[in-house]
């Protein structure tokens, strides 16, 4: 949510309806040889002395003011509930991305520790109810919009954190690194990755019955706002129709509260021109208010991964995902492995289909997801040296494979094992 475009509107040229489709098709998929990688890591911020204690807004504000003086290569942003996000610049290699973000995270942790605060790698706030930290027109509008579908929206805004891996869209031509294959793979392999890295089984201090409560919240928000398009047409056509037919979250103003229309598709807004004709900036902003599990932003943004425990837990999903998308041999293996899983989607878009729901609820306890995860992690492990990964990174992936994947477990299972024990100590990082 922090990646939205400008929070205010300047006079711009209106865009006729006839140009909207061409704009969406042009800005959301940029093809070429996959060579760049990026990651966005979100964190809950907790008290170091006892993460069950709420952090006051005043302490958060003071800590974040100090953070703004820390030199970082990644972009540092604050989410509506006070979560922190580091977004890497596009990197030319996996190891470049890991090195830059690791250095930035070390600096962020040191600055927060001076204020008695730490980063918690977990996908959903386990104890505290949703609480807004940022009060800005765009978040006021988002809250109003999401409240129409129930309480899940506030929980998502203010109490969730993720690891988002960004990969290039791929070649224009067919093949394991082609745009069409990568788009399809992201939506099928995404369920396997969701299950393998599920890490949010608690809310209000109690188990929710879902290993990824974070993904449950996204699902509850609804198909229009947090769903993906159908996969029965080419990616550009599917995404373009999805964007233009999705409801507008808000109509921005230079001052005062923003309008929050109900059920107004962007296409309808362009046709009516009421209360004003939408601009290119409005279209860009509209795209940023759609939260599917795979979001094209010129590249492909994979949004289904829960935040991971430990200082370096985010490296494993980044490395595995990169290998399965950017190494041709591993990508072909992943495609063959997940192809049978597509039948379980019943041709429904992610994440509102049975495959994704089972992944979020059961994780790798699901036999087919378990089998697929073992094969995909093994392929990624073989591919990582070809991508220049260090022994430290490959060892981390191999450790995760044996600790979790082969055993049919995920980090959420560790949290559940400790629900009545030392949970707070385990998730603190």
């Amino acid at each position: 949510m922090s990646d939205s475009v400008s929070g205010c509107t300047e006079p711009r040229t209106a865009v006729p309806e006839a140009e909207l489709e061409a704009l969406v098709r042009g800005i959301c998929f940029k093809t070429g040889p996959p060579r760049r990688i990026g990651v966005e890591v979100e964190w809950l911020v907790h008290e170091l002395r006892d993460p069950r204690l709420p952090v006051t807004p005043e302490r958060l504000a003071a800590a974040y003011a100090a953070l703004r003086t820390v030199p970082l290569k990644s972009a540092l942003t604050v989410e509506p509930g006070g979560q922190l996000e580091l977004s890497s610049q596009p990197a030319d290699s996996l190891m470049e991305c890991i090195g830059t973000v690791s250095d930035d995270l070390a600096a962020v942790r040191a600055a927060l520790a001076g204020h008695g605060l730490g980063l918690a790698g977990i996908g959903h706030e386990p104890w505290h109810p949703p609480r807004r930290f940022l009060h800005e027109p765009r978040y006021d509008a988002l809250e109003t919009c999401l409240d129409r579908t129930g309480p899940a929206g506030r929980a998502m805004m203010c109490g969730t954190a993720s690891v988002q891996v960004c990969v290039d869209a791929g070649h224009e031509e067919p093949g394991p690194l082609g745009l069409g294959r990568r788009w399809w793979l992201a939506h099928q392999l995404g369920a396997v990755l969701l299950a393998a890295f599920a890490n949010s089984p608690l809310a209000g201090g109690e188990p929710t019955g879902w290993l990824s409560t974070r993904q449950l919240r996204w699902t509850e928000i609804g198909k229009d706002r947090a769903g993906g398009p159908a996969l029965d047409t080419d990616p550009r056509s599917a995404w373009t129709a999805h964007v233009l037919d999705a409801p507008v979250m808000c109509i921005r103003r230079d001052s005062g509260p923003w309008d929050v229309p109900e059920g107004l598709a962007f296409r309808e807004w362009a046709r009516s021109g009421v209360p004003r004709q939408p601009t290119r900036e409005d279209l860009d902003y509209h795209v940023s208010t759609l939260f599917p599990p795979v979001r094209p932003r010129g590249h492909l943004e994979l949004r289904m991964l829960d935040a991971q425990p430990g200082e370096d837990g985010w490296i494993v999903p980044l490395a595995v995902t990169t290998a399965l998308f950017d190494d041709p041999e591993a990508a072909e293996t992943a495609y063959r492995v997940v192809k049978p899983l597509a039948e379980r989607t019943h041709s429904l878009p992610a994440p509102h289909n049975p495959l994704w729901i089972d992944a979020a609820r059961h994780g790798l306890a699901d036999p087919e997801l378990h089998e697929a995860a073992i094969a995909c992690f093994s392929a990624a492990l073989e591919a990582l040296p070809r991508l220049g990964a260090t022994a430290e990174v490959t060892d981390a992936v191999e450790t995760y494979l044996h600790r979790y994947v082969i055993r049919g477990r995920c980090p959420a299972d560790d949290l559940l094992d400790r629900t009545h024990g030392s949970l707070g100590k385990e998730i603190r990082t």
Side-chain angles (χ1 to χ4, degrees):
M1 288 165 300
S2 60
D3 57 358
S4 301
V5 296
S6 174
C8 62
T9 306
E10 299 177 2
R12 301 288 184 183
T13 303
V15 179
E17 180 189 352
E19 295 182 19
L20 291 175
E21 184 170 330
L23 279 172
V24 177
R25 293 175 69 91
I27 65 178
C28 291
F29 292 95
K30 293 180 172 61
T31 54
R35 67 181 185 88
R36 309 197 89 183
I37 191 73
V39 68
E40 301 173 15
V41 286
E42 295 175 337
W43 305 85
L44 304 178
V45 178
H46 284 168
E47 290 275 4
L48 281 175
R49 56 195 173 108
D50 185 350
R52 290 179 175 84
L53 295 175
V55 182
T56 66
E58 293 76 16
R59 292 194 59 218
L60 278 180
Y64 295 165
L67 270 180
R68 283 191 282 271
T69 68
V70 177
L72 303 171
K73 292 183 178 179
S74 305
L76 177 69
T77 50
V78 179
E79 296 291 336
Q83 312 98 302
L84 279 184
E85 178 180 279
L86 274 179
S87 301
S88 74
Q89 296 297 316
D92 290 326
S93 70
L94 172 64
M95 292 313 304
E96 177 189 335
C97 185
I98 289 173
T100 298
V101 176
S102 295
D103 290 345
D104 286 345
L105 278 171
V108 168
R109 286 194 179 93
L112 289 177
H115 293 262
L117 302 177
L119 300 177
I122 186 170
H124 188 282
E125 171 58 56
W127 302 295
H128 309 132
R131 182 192 64 180
R132 284 269 301 280
F133 173 70
L134 298 179
H135 295 274
E136 302 173 3
R138 60 174 170 171
Y139 295 131
D140 294 342
L142 179 60
E143 185 174 88
T144 299
C145 177
L146 295 181
D147 278 351
R148 292 169 179 160
T149 59
R154 294 195 184 203
M156 177 276 293
M157 287 175 63
C158 302
T160 61
S162 68
V163 176
Q164 298 176 19
V165 180
C166 300
V167 297
D168 281 336
H171 291 284
E172 196 69 45
E173 61 269 17
L177 301 185
L179 166 65
R181 175 75 69 85
R182 287 161 77 85
W183 177 248
W184 184 91
L185 180 63
H187 288 85
Q188 312 306 333
L189 178 61
V192 178
L193 298 173
L194 164 62
F197 293 108
N199 186 38
S200 53
L202 305 170
E206 298 294 333
T208 64
W210 294 70
L211 294 184
S212 180
T213 304
R214 173 184 170 274
Q215 185 59 58
L216 169 63
R217 299 298 182 232
W218 283 113
T219 304
E220 291 174 331
I221 288 170
K223 299 177 182 178
D224 289 338
R225 186 65 52 196
L231 300 180
D232 55 358
T233 58
D234 74 276
R236 289 188 177 93
S237 297
W239 179 247
T240 298
H242 183 73
V243 168
L244 298 183
D245 292 332
V248 173
M249 187 191 84
C250 62
I251 298 177
R252 299 177 295 162
R253 295 178 178 273
D254 287 319
S255 61
W258 295 358
D259 295 334
V260 186
E262 188 166 4
L264 176 66
F266 196 92
R267 192 192 305 273
E268 295 172 356
W269 179 20
R271 289 174 179 173
S272 70
V274 177
R276 60 175 175 79
Q277 197 70 30
T279 66
R280 166 66 183 269
E281 289 71 31
D282 289 318
L283 178 61
D284 292 342
Y285 189 84
H286 173 63
V287 171
S288 78
T289 67
L290 303 178
F291 309 115
V294 182
R295 185 166 63 177
R297 304 292 297 273
H299 53 274
L300 300 183
E301 183 182 83
L302 280 67
R303 303 171 52 86
M304 72 288 298
L305 303 170
D306 283 352
Q308 296 296 291
E311 292 190 2
D312 300 326
W314 57 276
I315 293 176
V316 173
L318 171 62
V320 169
T321 304
T322 301
L324 294 176
F325 275 87
D326 288 356
D327 180 83
E329 184 177 336
E332 186 65 31
T333 297
Y335 174 76
R336 292 197 306 267
V337 166
V338 302
K339 194 171 184 179
L341 295 176
E343 296 180 4
R344 291 176 56 179
T345 68
H346 296 176
S347 298
L348 298 173
H352 300 86
N353 65 50
L355 175 65
W356 278 68
I357 290 171
D358 287 344
R361 186 189 291 272
H362 304 299
L364 295 186
D366 181 288
E368 289 183 309
L369 288 169
H370 181 211
E371 182 180 355
I374 292 175
C376 287
F377 270 71
S378 299
L381 192 59
E382 293 180 4
L384 282 170
R386 297 194 290 267
L387 296 178
T390 63
E392 184 178 11
V393 171
T394 57
D395 288 349
V397 172
E398 186 171 19
T399 297
Y400 196 99
L401 171 65
H402 288 279
R403 177 178 178 180
Y404 292 114
V405 179
I406 290 176
R407 298 170 62 198
R409 289 175 62 86
C410 58
D413 292 305
D414 289 350
L415 291 177
L416 289 173
D417 289 346
R418 294 168 172 81
T419 297
H420 303 294
S422 56
L423 175 62
K425 181 178 179 180
E426 289 296 323
I427 74 166
R428 274 206 312 267
T429 62

